[in-house]
Amino acid sequence: MDINDIFGTGKLYGQTRVGSGQSGEVSGSGKGGKSGQTSGSTDTVTLSGDARLFSQAVRDAQDSPDVRADRVAELKAQVESGEYQPDSHKIAEKMLLSEIDLLS
């Protein structure tokens, strides 16, 4: 499963590149500035701790596997051996809670 452009984090206006530094600061050209042009000032953006945390969460989600292969293998073995006994009441409860969440 690929998750791309979550919360509009894809190509942003001006397409300013964010450096890999820990400071969370970005320098770039101002409105309508063209690369290669130099002027007396540059714009600076300082990211909040929440923004850095969000960015790290997005990177972690992109780096994580789509399927937990160990869990799938464990459940498959249980099904094949006849040991897998799902709790129908728990399943029904989760389905109803999911439905309630969708309606709210």
Side-chain angles (χ1 to χ4, degrees), residues 57-73:
V58 169
R59 281 193 299 273
D60 290 346
Q62 290 172 339
D63 293 342
S64 68
D66 292 336
V67 177
R68 293 175 30 201
D70 57 334
R71 182 70 176 139
V72 171

Side-chain angles (χ1 to χ4, degrees), residues 3-19:
I3 299 175
N4 296 318
D5 200 42
I6 187 166
F7 299 113
T9 59
K11 294 181 180 179
L12 301 174
Y13 178 78
Q15 298 181 353
T16 304
R17 266 188 102 107
V18 176

Side-chain angles (χ1 to χ4, degrees), residues 1 9 12 23 37 41 45 54 63-64 71 78 89:
M1 174 172 89
T9 59
L12 301 174
S23 69
Q37 274 187 342
S41 66
V45 176
F54 175 77
D63 293 342
S64 68
R71 182 70 176 139
Q78 287 180 2
H89 292 285

